[in-house]
Amino acid sequence: MAKMTSIKMKRLLEDELKNPDYRVTYKRDDDAVRIEWKDSNEGMTVSLPNLIAKYNDRGKEALDEIVEHVNEALKIMNQTQHLKGMEKQIFPVLRSPSFPTETKAKKKLIYKDHTAETRVFYALDLGKSYRLIDEDLLEEEGWSKERLDEIASFNIRSLSYQPKADQVAGNDFYFLATQDGYDASRILNEAFLEEMRANAKGELTVAVPHQDVLILGDIQNKSGYDILAQMTMKFFADGRIPITSLPFVYENKKLEPVFILAKNRPEKNEE
């Protein structure tokens, strides 16, 4: 089998992405292909080394996957979205404070502060993908940030909450990983946290290492903190959209980030 090169992969992509309204260009400096709408220049960039590695591993299936993703993303960019009538599709999403607060098109995203380690943005769920809600979209509908937050908070409470339980060294851990895109967002459901706190034998900890997992720990001995630290760090490193490697202690309806010292009770992060 001949070696797959960037130029060959660019040609394969061009063959698969046959749309007269697309412009496909090779960016030599980045070793990437840019696919965009000719009229608006909106589009996305695909890293060729990453795609070639996937292609060598999985063949045509990897190429089909990226083509579907590109078509879906460009379709969304070309549509006019509305919030009215889509209320049930609006959810809060957690991101780290370093996450950009405006889009590449310089539109300001709506967000609110949550903890020192987390921020809340708002997503309009479009099925296979989502769009983060910006100020322009909110203004078009004449909505306030408070109304947006209220709708998103209601929707997060309506999702399923059935964590998988695991016991490690006398500590109970609970994992929510439904892969619906809003696992970490479930940390915003205070009623759920209160219920978990009420049923905890020890101290309740909560971690959101990345978007697709929420880890709750009922910590009943000192080794529990070490296990929690290692677990959170591993999930953080593996996450597609990492949030924070610092877990929180949930006390008095507040989330306090904790720095875990090996073999010790954690130090509270005093702000």
Side-chain angles (χ1 to χ4, degrees):
M1 185 176 153
K3 187 172 179 287
M4 178 56 71
T5 64
S6 293
I7 297 302
K8 281 185 194 167
M9 182 53 82
K10 176 197 177 256
R11 285 189 194 125
L12 273 181
L13 274 173
E14 280 176 325
D15 288 346
E16 295 289 330
L17 291 162
K18 280 200 163 64
N19 185 324
D21 299 322
Y22 288 175
R23 182 189 298 116
V24 182
T25 49
Y26 174 55
K27 301 177 81 169
R28 192 179 299 278
D29 291 349
D30 302 325
D31 198 8
V33 166
R34 172 84 185 161
I35 305 107
E36 58 189 24
W37 289 105
K38 286 177 184 172
D39 58 353
S40 68
N41 297 331
E42 279 197 287
M44 66 181 286
T45 303
V46 175
S47 161
L48 288 171
N50 291 0
L51 179 54
I52 289 167
K54 287 180 188 171
Y55 184 82
N56 288 341
D57 189 37
R58 290 165 47 217
K60 182 79 166 50
E61 183 194 350
L63 185 65
D64 292 346
E65 206 173 83
I66 198 80
V67 165
E68 186 188 2
H69 187 60
V70 168
N71 281 326
E72 184 67 21
L74 265 73
K75 185 176 88 182
I76 287 160
M77 285 171 196
N78 214 28
Q79 286 171 344
T80 305
Q81 274 103 29
H82 299 283
L83 300 179
K84 202 164 278 174
M86 295 286 281
E87 286 88 350
K88 285 189 165 66
Q89 269 68 54
I90 295 168
F91 292 93
V93 288
L94 244 59
R95 296 289 183 266
S96 77
S98 62
F99 188 82
T101 56
E102 61 176 36
T103 67
K104 288 195 173 106
K106 301 290 177 207
K107 291 187 175 185
K108 288 185 176 167
L109 295 171
I110 304 287
Y111 70 89
K112 72 170 184 181
D113 291 324
H114 176 237
T115 71
E117 302 297 318
T118 50
R119 265 191 186 147
V120 179
F121 290 79
Y122 301 91
L124 178 60
D125 194 305
L126 300 164
K128 287 182 184 171
S129 54
Y130 60 86
R131 170 187 170 173
L132 291 179
I133 294 171
D134 55 59
E135 286 181 359
D136 290 2
L137 193 54
L138 208 60
E139 279 167 25
E140 279 164 28
E141 302 289 356
W143 285 16
S144 65
K145 288 182 184 179
E146 289 70 30
R147 179 168 184 204
L148 179 68
D149 186 60
E150 214 171 84
I151 290 169
S153 300
F154 176 82
N155 288 338
I156 204 71
R157 291 194 294 272
S158 69
L159 297 178
S160 66
Y161 285 81
Q162 290 167 322
K164 288 185 177 145
D166 193 12
Q167 195 177 62
V168 188
N171 301 276
D172 297 308
F173 292 94
Y174 302 90
F175 302 87
L176 268 161
T178 63
Q179 301 293 304
D180 62 6
Y182 308 108
D183 290 307
S185 305
R186 284 164 168 81
I187 196 174
L188 302 169
N189 183 351
E190 203 173 76
F192 172 62
L193 295 186
E194 281 294 302
E195 185 188 340
M196 294 300 290
R197 178 75 200 90
N199 290 307
K201 300 185 199 85
E203 190 155 40
L204 184 70
T205 59
V206 192
V208 281
H210 64 73
Q211 176 186 277
D212 296 310
V213 71
L214 175 67
I215 305 168
L216 299 110
D218 180 356
I219 307 297
Q220 294 156 60
N221 56 48
K222 279 185 181 178
S223 66
Y225 293 105
D226 281 340
I227 294 158
L228 176 68
Q230 287 161 17
M231 204 182 273
T232 309
M233 189 51 85
K234 185 183 184 312
F235 274 93
F236 178 73
D238 293 347
R240 197 168 49 90
I241 299 180
I243 301 171
T244 175
S245 60
L246 278 186
F248 303 89
V249 167
Y250 182 71
E251 279 175 337
N252 306 320
K253 297 193 176 180
K254 282 191 179 158
L255 291 159
E256 298 285 347
V258 291
F259 296 105
I260 294 170
L261 308 173
K263 310 291 175 209
N264 283 319
R265 170 80 173 69
E267 297 266 331
K268 287 263 178 77
N269 178 18
E270 298 299 340
E271 285 177 45

